[in-house]
Amino acid sequence: MPRALEDDQHLVSATFQKMVLGLIFAAVALGQLIRLQIFLGTTSALNSIDLVIVFVTIVFGFLSWRRRGLADLTRSVKKVWFWRAIFLFLLWALISLGLNASHLSGREGFVAFSYWLRLFLLISSIYLLWLSQVIGSKDKIVKLFIYTSMFVVFLGYLQLILVPNFSFMSKFGWDPHVGRMLSTFFDPNFLGAFLVLSLSIVANQLVQEKGSNRIVLWLFFFLAWLALYLTFSRSAWVTGAIALSLAVWPRSWKTGLLVLAIFIIVALIPNRLSSRFLLSGSLLNNQAINSKGLNNSSVGVEGLVGSQDLSAAARLVSIKKGLTLAKQHWLIGVGYNNYGSALLKAGLTTDQFASSHAGNGSDSSLVNIFATTGVIGLSLFLIFFLGSLKWLYRLWRQGKDNLLGASMFGFSLAWLAGSFLDNTLPYVFILLPWLLLMAVLIPKTDG
């Protein structure tokens, strides 16, 4: 290890390093439980994770700047492809927002910029921790993530027992889910994607543990898998089938096929999840979306005739509207996180829906990126993410020699696939642990 990096480990005590990592994972586990409203009448809010990433960026940014200087502090961004690509996308996202600033009110501009700033600080905080060697060994991060996942799953079962009906939260902009596990994320699809990441990591961690630790992990794996089912999220179930089968494939292709078969069987036998899949098929077959639906002022299922699957219907309409907006602003987009406002100005939604959580973005991550940052931003993002997948694929091919790499490849590929129908890619409570787990795999130089 270079001397400068060794010295960086002594910038703060080992106790402080553990405290910082503990705060980060605690903020992930708390999810949406702690929220400080910024503007009344909107869904913009500060939560615990925002406070933590601001703290980490300021503290480690200052310490690293004092130790290294600004030029040396940013050198690794230029040297390491992963950081170079993600910060380049961030730069364009800010430029696209600036180019659209004249079309935004002061309040709209502030809200949009605050979300960009959150993403910038989140990525910067992980970069600074990686640069300062605070993240440390992969075993430490993996264990912290598993403990966090256990807490999220525990609170999920508690929520399902105590608060199975979430309709009372509709007045705060949340979807009125009934009988579905939401945990601290308040959304079954986002929780489902998080659980898929957890299961992907635990599936390979089981191989490395022995004795009572392995028994505990097996118990958690079963409870987390059942929790994934209880979200009744179709996208998360498909994501799980892809991610888990790929994650264990390097160890045993037979186990990979068995995992895939189990997911398919559960989706086929009569149950609430399989019923939702059947409704999706009927919706796609009757082709009930009509062109006039885009200009209808009603929220959720505009233009869908006789659909019984209101959730999937609303999702398809959301994606169609997002593509319409993207085509109108195809080059530079409408500005990062200015989606709801731009949709409203284009006459594609209502004030009430634009101010809800669902109205802040398309139900497809890639459509959302296309609409807000244009084809330039979408291209930069795909260069980053597909490049990351290519690198993770090399780790996946190492098989048993890099089980964490195998887990991350399986999840990342499935995450991208699931994002076509769910806006999970920029979701901070998934993105942050993903970045932390990636950071323990990223070498200090591309060479």
Side-chain angles (χ1 to χ4, degrees):
M1 183 185 299
R3 180 62 180 273
L5 295 181
E6 288 182 350
D7 291 344
D8 277 352
Q9 291 182 312
H10 302 294
L11 289 175
V12 293
S13 67
T15 302
F16 185 74
Q17 293 179 27
K18 291 177 182 178
M19 185 197 77
V20 168
L21 291 174
L23 282 174
I24 291 173
F25 281 108
V28 171
L30 288 173
Q32 304 286 359
L33 286 180
I34 300 176
R35 292 174 59 85
L36 177 63
Q37 203 75 19
I38 299 176
F39 287 121
L40 295 178
T42 73
T43 57
S44 302
L46 288 172
N47 52 38
S48 55
I49 208 165
D50 298 314
L51 302 177
V52 170
I53 62 177
V54 168
F55 170 75
V56 171
T57 304
I58 291 175
V59 171
F60 284 91
F62 175 73
L63 292 174
S64 298
W65 172 75
R66 282 189 60 189
R67 173 69 183 86
R68 294 168 164 267
L70 183 60
D72 197 36
L73 182 62
T74 59
R75 190 168 295 148
S76 289
V77 174
K78 301 175 184 178
K79 285 185 176 180
V80 180
W81 177 88
F82 181 87
W83 299 115
R84 186 168 67 246
I86 197 169
F87 276 110
L88 187 59
F89 168 74
L90 275 175
L91 177 61
W92 171 253
L94 180 61
I95 291 172
S96 72
L97 182 58
L99 291 174
N100 284 279
S102 60
H103 305 298
L104 307 178
S105 67
R107 176 171 170 172
E108 290 170 346
F110 178 80
V111 171
F113 176 75
S114 68
Y115 276 89
W116 178 89
L117 185 61
R118 167 196 270 180
L119 183 62
F120 173 75
L121 291 174
L122 186 152
I123 293 171
S124 297
S125 63
I126 304 303
Y127 168 71
L128 289 168
L129 292 177
W130 171 83
L131 189 65
S132 302
Q133 296 288 295
V134 172
I135 290 176
S137 68
K138 62 182 179 182
D139 289 339
K140 177 172 64 176
I141 297 299
V142 166
K143 286 180 180 179
L144 281 171
F145 176 65
I146 291 175
Y147 293 148
T148 301
S149 302
M150 288 178 174
F151 188 66
V152 171
V153 169
F154 169 75
L155 291 181
Y157 281 106
L158 201 62
Q159 166 264 313
L160 199 56
I161 295 170
L162 301 178
V163 194
N165 190 338
F166 216 62
S167 58
F168 71 96
M169 291 292 282
S170 295
K171 60 184 177 181
F172 300 111
W174 300 98
D175 290 338
H177 298 291
V178 178
R180 301 177 69 178
M181 186 175 289
L182 314 174
S183 192
T184 57
F185 294 176
F186 296 178
D187 185 282
N189 300 311
F190 291 147
L191 174 62
F194 176 86
L195 291 173
V196 171
L197 176 57
S198 304
L199 288 165
S200 300
I201 299 299
V202 173
N204 280 325
Q205 191 68 14
L206 282 165
V207 180
Q208 304 175 41
E209 296 291 343
K210 297 179 180 180
S212 59
N213 287 341
R214 193 172 187 181
I215 295 174
V216 171
L217 275 183
W218 267 115
L219 177 61
F220 170 64
F221 183 87
F222 172 75
L223 291 174
W225 184 83
L226 181 59
L228 176 63
Y229 170 79
L230 292 172
T231 65
F232 299 111
S233 170
R234 290 162 289 195
S235 59
W237 195 254
V238 173
T239 300
I242 299 171
L244 274 159
S245 57
L246 284 175
V248 301
W249 195 280
R251 283 190 298 144
S252 168
W253 64 269
K254 293 180 180 179
T255 304
L257 288 178
L258 176 62
V259 169
L260 184 61
I262 291 173
F263 272 89
I264 293 173
I265 290 170
V266 173
L268 290 177
I269 60 176
N271 57 72
R272 181 175 174 179
L273 182 63
S274 63
S275 298
R276 301 192 79 230
F277 275 113
L278 287 173
L279 286 173
S280 300
S282 64
L283 174 65
L284 294 174
N285 288 332
N286 68 28
Q287 297 179 343
I289 301 179
N290 62 54
S291 59
K292 295 181 180 179
L294 289 173
N295 297 317
N296 195 307
S297 61
S298 62
V299 176
V301 291
E302 303 95 317
L304 294 164
V305 182
S307 172
Q308 294 180 323
D309 190 353
L310 300 183
S311 175
R315 186 168 300 180
L316 290 176
V317 169
S318 170
I319 294 172
K320 189 174 181 182
K321 288 181 176 183
L323 287 172
T324 300
L325 190 64
K327 289 175 183 177
Q328 294 173 359
H329 306 270
W330 66 272
L331 183 60
I332 64 172
V334 298
Y336 184 79
N337 207 68
N338 186 42
Y339 184 88
S341 174
L343 209 65
L344 186 62
K345 291 175 182 177
L348 298 175
T349 191
T350 63
D351 287 312
Q352 181 182 2
F353 190 67
S355 62
S356 69
H357 291 278
N360 285 332
S362 168
D363 279 329
S364 167
S365 290
L366 297 182
V367 170
N368 191 59
I369 293 170
F370 186 18
T372 56
T373 62
V375 69
I376 298 175
L378 179 61
S379 299
L380 289 172
F381 178 80
L382 288 176
I383 288 171
F384 159 71
F385 205 91
L386 294 178
S388 299
L389 280 175
K390 181 180 178 181
W391 171 64
L392 285 171
Y393 175 69
R394 292 201 297 267
L395 302 183
W396 181 79
R397 292 191 63 184
Q398 294 176 10
K400 297 178 181 180
D401 295 328
N402 201 323
L403 292 177
L404 179 59
S407 295
M408 291 300 289
F409 171 72
F411 171 76
S412 299
L413 181 62
W415 190 27
L416 180 65
S419 72
F420 280 91
L421 294 175
D422 264 323
N423 192 19
T424 55
L425 285 179
Y427 190 62
V428 63
F429 301 107
I430 301 172
L431 180 60
L432 191 150
W434 182 80
L435 283 170
L436 275 171
L437 290 162
M438 288 289 285
V440 300
L441 295 171
I442 299 170
K444 288 298 172 183
T445 63
D446 284 337

